[in-house]
Amino acid sequence: MRRARIVGMLLAGLLLGACTDPASDPEAPPPSPDVAGASDTTENGRPAATRRASPPATARPGGPPPSVLYLGDSLATESQQVLGQELRRDLGARYTSAPYSGTTVCDYLEGTGARSLVPDRDKAAALVRSLRPDIVVLQFWGNAWDYTWCMDGITYTDSRSEYVTRYAADVKRLTEQIAAAGGAKRPRIVWVSQGPDPITPDRVRRVNELYQRQASASGDLVADAGKTVSPAGARQTWVQYLPCTAHERDHPEYCTQPDRGRTALHLDKDPLHFCLAPTTPTPRPCPVRSPGILRIAREITRVVEERAVGDGP
């Protein structure tokens, strides 16, 4: 139990924060043009009252551009603007994001009451009923510590079997709530697999397996974004740097160490997030160019386009 609390305190400090606002950090790099366009959210992650859709660049054959809802934890918080940019540019998507840092799957379930980090108005089913999205993208690292109240104190460190059983049940229940809220217009769910984790590597592997199992059972999809931030041939191995991709070499601002042919995925002091700006107690989208975030966003967009959108409603 003591070990679980120590790990929990470390994770809480990292995962409850998100990338800092460059206006408050004089040492932060200039804002990236890749994150200039705000998603349809307020500053705290709640969808804005008036949704703004970019003019479509492309659309589904024979239909309007897709509507995409993006939910998740601090990894989604830091990625939300870049993902919105990719979806709008490639698909002309109507996009809304409502991530909350520090959350896990059960926080987005209806019926959790006060034992949740997500208010009732932003539960997954509530947003599906109000926004009627075609696609719901879900990105969760699998948080569980004392501050994640809806997990009822169940942690992977204390009880692996109990954690996996509970997490699987929550994943199934969230799928069912989203499906019920969509009714005849049931949205397609895209679960985002996570990259390697240096703290509990086996836990992340098992969480990713749960996403795949649930997607197969319910006819949904998995975007293996975690593979894009893993070494070739070593999917479960955490690294801070990877060789630059062709895209990153063509865009040198994303190849952070061109003389060594590699780029940074994480800061030295934060092995979990992919934003190359320090975390802050106030969660915000990442304000700087970050190769890991772009890799993840591009893979999600590819799956949405090729599988979810290509298959039609």
Side-chain angles (χ1 to χ4, degrees):
M1 180 65 73
R2 176 179 171 79
R3 182 186 172 192
R5 288 178 178 172
I6 292 173
V7 172
M9 290 174 65
L10 170 63
L11 298 182
L14 291 174
L15 291 168
L16 285 174
C19 295
T20 186
D21 180 357
S24 63
D25 182 2
E27 297 183 359
S32 165
D34 297 323
V35 297
S39 59
D40 299 321
T41 61
T42 59
E43 203 166 79
N44 66 357
R46 186 168 60 85
T50 303
R51 301 177 64 244
R52 302 177 301 280
S54 300
T58 60
R60 287 181 295 175
S67 173
V68 180
L69 172 64
Y70 183 40
L71 308 176
D73 55 22
S74 60
L75 296 176
T77 298
E78 69 179 5
S79 301
Q80 61 184 310
Q81 287 188 353
V82 175
L83 178 59
Q85 165 201 286
E86 295 296 307
L87 289 168
R88 288 186 177 110
R89 186 191 62 206
D90 291 357
L91 307 178
R94 292 172 291 120
Y95 172 74
T96 303
S97 59
Y100 282 81
S101 293
T103 57
T104 195
V105 171
C106 59
D107 284 294
Y108 279 90
L109 289 170
E110 291 189 319
T112 52
R115 294 179 61 79
S116 173
L117 298 173
V118 176
D120 288 347
R121 64 177 179 257
D122 288 346
K123 299 294 190 181
L127 290 175
V128 168
R129 284 191 291 268
S130 63
L131 299 174
R132 313 303 295 176
D134 300 303
I135 299 156
V136 178
V137 178
L138 301 172
Q139 182 167 5
F140 294 96
W141 181 80
N143 294 324
W145 64 79
D146 290 346
Y147 193 64
T148 315
W149 308 309
C150 67
M151 285 294 291
D152 298 318
I154 300 172
T155 69
Y156 189 75
T157 306
D158 290 337
S159 177
R160 297 188 176 190
S161 61
E162 187 177 12
Y163 172 91
V164 172
T165 299
R166 169 61 184 276
Y167 202 85
D170 287 342
V171 165
K172 182 176 185 290
R173 187 178 168 200
L174 185 61
T175 298
E176 292 170 346
Q177 288 193 358
I178 290 172
K185 190 178 180 293
R186 195 267 204 203
R188 200 81 175 270
I189 297 173
V190 176
W191 293 95
V192 180
S193 69
Q194 301 309 303
D197 174 29
I199 300 175
T200 53
D202 185 64
R203 184 196 59 79
V204 166
R205 178 184 62 79
R206 297 183 74 172
V207 163
N208 287 341
E209 289 174 353
L210 291 177
Y211 296 154
Q212 184 63 65
R213 193 179 310 155
Q214 180 60 53
S216 297
S218 56
D220 290 306
L221 303 166
V222 172
D224 192 5
K227 186 177 181 179
T228 69
V229 291
S230 306
R235 175 64 176 82
Q236 307 304 325
T237 301
W238 182 92
V239 293
Q240 185 175 0
Y241 299 91
L242 280 178
C244 295
T245 64
H247 176 83
E248 289 160 358
R249 291 193 297 272
D250 290 341
H251 298 79
E253 62 272 23
Y254 285 102
C255 191
T256 60
Q257 295 184 351
D259 56 325
R260 305 179 68 176
R262 68 180 193 176
T263 194
L265 301 178
H266 306 278
L267 292 175
D268 292 343
K269 295 183 179 180
D270 187 346
L272 301 179
H273 294 99
F274 295 92
C275 184
L276 299 183
T279 57
T280 175
T282 302
R284 295 182 186 274
C286 186
V288 300
R289 289 187 180 94
S290 299
I293 287 177
L294 184 61
R295 290 183 183 209
I296 290 168
R298 286 167 65 91
E299 178 60 17
I300 295 171
T301 301
R302 185 192 69 79
V303 170
V304 169
E305 180 175 18
E306 292 186 5
R307 301 290 302 280
V309 173
D311 293 346

